[in-house]
Amino acid sequence: MRLTRRLLTMAFAASGLLGAVPAHAAPHGLGMSSDVVRTALILTLLAVIPSILICMTSFVRIIVVLSMVRHAFGMPETPPNPVLVSLALFMTAFIMSPTLTALNNNAVQPLLANRISVEEAMAKGTVPLRDFMLAQTRDADIEAIYAIAHATPPDRPDQVDILKLAPAFMLNELRVSFTIGFVILLPFLLIDLVVSAILLSLGMMMVPPATISLPIKLLMFVLIDGWSLVLQGVLGSFR
């Protein structure tokens, strides 16, 4: 039940991307807050939730960092993709919990109780997501997207178009995740260089360095509680 509520919450939050249905397009006597319209809107938005989850939440940063950790070991298939995606989803739900709670309280519950219209739910639902993305996004990224679109950047943060804020947010997430990944890769690179130098000095040029370095990297990662440190570092990078 909680997972379904969160999915519906994210669906209504992203409905601001689709815009409101014109009043003249609706049949006579059918209000925008009717059960039929709301049900159709919810079912439609549920289809785009995967894209919303990737583009407008912390999922991008988390999954990229976890993938870099996997490649740093030299094991591109371990941990398997379902494990990393599941971990990233749970961490995303943890980070986005205040935002989703605000969405649920301000937009979803009032709409389901028929206290506000669909248009009002759309307007209120985009505010928490916009605030979250603005808190993570640099002004330079927003200006770059507006420059690509040949548009003038707005004077106030609340005037930023959400269709331009989403790609700017993703640019920032990729930049931060690659920065974290660089810091993670350095110790593993050092181990590979040391092992290669030792094997070369011993004349064991036919022995693949990865065969020796992999157990050492795994042992080091376990001893320092690496997964916990990585997750703490990723969580600490969000504002």
Side-chain angles (χ1 to χ4, degrees), residues 57-219:
T57 65
S58 58
F59 181 81
V60 174
R61 185 184 306 187
I62 297 173
I63 194 64
V64 171
V65 171
L66 294 180
S67 298
M68 285 190 172
V69 173
R70 181 173 65 177
H71 285 282
F73 284 113
M75 301 184 299
E77 300 298 332
T78 305
N81 288 330
V83 175
L84 292 186
V85 172
S86 300
L87 179 59
L89 286 174
F90 279 112
M91 297 305 300
T92 300
F94 175 77
I95 295 172
M96 300 296 296
S97 179
T99 302
L100 297 179
T101 301
L103 288 173
N104 183 62
N105 295 336
N106 299 337
V108 177
Q109 292 304 322
L111 179 63
L112 296 179
N114 289 327
R115 295 198 300 267
I116 61 176
S117 64
V118 175
E119 296 97 327
E120 293 174 334
M122 290 177 181
K124 293 182 178 181
T126 56
V127 172
L129 262 182
R130 181 191 300 272
D131 293 341
F132 172 79
M133 290 191 291
L134 285 173
Q136 314 301 324
T137 308
R138 300 184 306 170
D139 293 340
D141 295 327
I142 298 177
E143 292 174 358
I145 297 298
Y146 271 88
I148 294 173
H150 302 288
T152 303
D155 298 328
R156 298 184 308 180
D158 57 353
Q159 296 177 340
V160 178
D161 185 2
I162 197 168
L163 289 177
K164 296 181 176 62
L165 178 59
F169 171 74
M170 293 190 69
L171 285 178
N172 179 79
E173 292 299 283
L174 291 174
R175 178 184 60 84
V176 175
S177 60
F178 272 60
T179 303
I180 298 174
F182 173 76
V183 176
I184 293 174
L185 287 171
L186 280 180
F188 294 98
L189 176 61
L190 179 62
I191 292 176
D192 287 333
L193 291 176
V194 171
V195 170
S196 298
I198 293 175
L199 292 177
L200 184 61
S201 63
L202 295 176
M204 303 172 63
M205 293 176 292
M206 301 301 295
V207 178
T211 305
I212 308 299
S213 63
L214 178 58
I216 298 176
K217 289 188 285 188
L218 289 176
L219 178 61

